[in-house]
Amino acid sequence: MPELPEVETTRRGLLPLLVGRKVQDMTIRQRNLRWPISRSLPAAIRGQSVQSLDRRAKYLLMRFSHGSVLLHLGMSGSLRILPQTEAPKKHDHVDFVLADKQCLRLHDPRRFGAILWTTRDPQSHPLLKDLGPEPLDEEFDGDYLFRRSRGRKVAIKNFLMNSQVVVGVGNIYANEALFQAGIRPTHAAGRLSKLRLHSLATKVKNVLQHALEVGGTTLRDYRSPNGHPGYFRLELAVYGRAGEPCKVCRKPLIEKRIGQRSSVYCRTCQS
DNA sequence: CCCAAGACCTGGCGGC
DNA sequence: TGCCGCCAGGTCTTGG
């Protein structure tokens, strides 16, 4: 699934096609996503205009005058604007029908995604209220990581992927940022120096920012709303490269499961 | 509170 | 070709 660069690329692609437009109807072919889609949602947004499309963590927030749709893409979700006449394919679970016979269509084979409706401030929604800072915001820096990590024994990779610490960093970018910072993913978070955490925060920002600039990472499913893949895959230094030579020292990269997720690193370059 | 593991779901791949 | 086990971009929930 989409990590932050893919979700943000999706948001930017949808923005000009969605904001200011009216939702004429909503077609639900499969309501059982991560949580069932509320039966009252279609009636709630029918005839209403999309006021803005924002993002918090990996959630897209479609705002209407009287509430917001929270959209999450899970591991395999994607959104596209298509002609309403185009026949839905397998796993095309939901259409937001727009004017001009177009629709916003959710495709999500694994159904880990979600579509939720809230009439309150989305930031106070239970799923959003305890989230950590956005990684590209100023408040996310080495001092922040240092403060939050003291006393924590968890592996730095798991710490980085904890959305209460910082949002948007998934398995790909956690591996990449740790490689760029020269830190082993297994290192106890609470034992890293402030200096090293400064480097890590900087690398997290750089990796995400750069991935965003090239449209994210496409492994198989992911497509931006205009159908293009992301090109960061070509630049991955460690993710998906276990056994291949380190791009810096040429020694084979190691793969190890940490917190049930595959982690790839260089024994020489990362300590 | 902290941490690890389980759960949710489908599809693709390698091995036999 | 078929079946089996394992793996996959997430994150909420449970149990120790």
Side-chain angles (χ1 to χ4, degrees):
Chain A
M1 139 33 198
E3 298 188 34
L4 187 143
E6 294 76 41
V7 178
E8 181 60 18
T9 298
T10 297
R11 188 187 75 85
R12 292 179 187 182
L14 293 177
L15 209 47
L17 303 163
L18 214 53
V19 175
R21 294 185 75 183
K22 194 174 280 187
V23 175
Q24 291 184 336
D25 203 357
M26 184 176 172
T27 306
I28 302 174
R29 296 179 204 85
Q30 166 62 275
R31 66 184 330 111
N32 295 319
L33 304 184
R34 172 145 197 189
W35 297 283
I37 300 172
S38 161
R39 291 184 184 278
S40 65
L41 178 51
I45 59 174
R46 194 172 292 138
Q48 301 292 322
S49 293
V50 179
Q51 299 197 322
S52 63
L53 182 65
D54 301 314
R55 179 187 59 75
R56 172 70 175 113
K58 295 172 189 166
Y59 291 90
L60 289 171
L61 314 176
M62 245 171 94
R63 296 181 196 265
F64 295 85
S65 64
H66 61 312
S68 300
V69 170
L70 275 53
L71 263 154
H72 197 291
L73 300 176
M75 289 277 255
S76 57
S78 57
L79 289 165
R80 292 191 69 181
I81 301 276
L82 294 166
Q84 178 65 37
T85 51
E86 187 159 326
K89 301 198 168 67
K90 198 174 182 184
H91 305 306
D92 282 349
H93 304 314
V94 174
D95 287 354
F96 293 87
V97 183
L98 308 168
D100 307 328
K101 296 183 175 170
Q102 288 193 304
C103 72
L104 172 67
R105 183 167 285 174
L106 172 74
H107 177 83
D108 185 7
R110 292 179 73 181
R111 286 191 273 130
F112 288 170
I115 297 179
L116 301 163
W117 171 247
T118 177
T119 54
R120 305 196 319 172
D121 172 19
Q123 307 292 352
S124 63
H125 189 279
L127 291 170
L128 304 192
K129 67 180 172 54
D130 295 321
L131 294 174
E134 292 285 329
L136 298 177
D137 279 1
E138 266 190 31
E139 70 166 300
F140 176 74
D141 61 11
D143 285 352
Y144 170 82
L145 279 179
F146 184 76
R147 222 179 319 122
R148 289 293 305 269
S149 61
R150 292 311 89 180
R152 303 287 297 268
K153 293 181 174 170
V154 68
I156 185 62
K157 176 155 177 280
N158 291 342
F159 185 74
L160 211 48
M161 291 175 69
N162 179 344
S163 62
Q164 296 200 22
V165 173
V166 58
V167 301
V169 185
N171 202 31
I172 296 178
Y173 301 111
N175 277 300
E176 294 299 312
L178 286 163
F179 173 76
Q180 300 296 343
I183 298 170
R184 279 210 194 180
T186 49
H187 208 114
R191 292 181 171 253
L192 284 161
S193 69
K194 189 179 276 194
L195 188 68
R196 301 192 81 194
L197 291 171
H198 265 279
S199 166
L200 183 56
T202 301
K203 299 303 185 184
V204 166
K205 288 174 192 278
N206 288 352
V207 163
L208 292 175
Q209 185 62 48
H210 183 62
L212 194 47
E213 283 160 13
V214 297
T217 302
T218 294
L219 298 178
R220 46 186 165 279
D221 312 81
Y222 175 75
R223 287 288 182 283
S224 76
N226 59 26
H228 294 312
Y231 293 99
F232 192 70
R233 182 180 190 172
L234 302 169
E235 300 177 45
L236 295 173
V238 287
Y239 184 87
R241 298 194 62 242
E244 292 175 41
C246 169
K247 295 190 173 188
V248 174
C249 74
R250 312 311 296 174
K251 297 216 173 67
L253 296 170
I254 306 298
E255 179 162 27
K256 181 179 174 133
R257 290 194 84 75
I258 303 170
Q260 298 162 300
R261 309 301 295 276
S262 105
S263 309
V264 186
Y265 65 97
C266 175
R267 238 176 215 148
T268 311
C269 300
Q270 292 172 263
S271 58

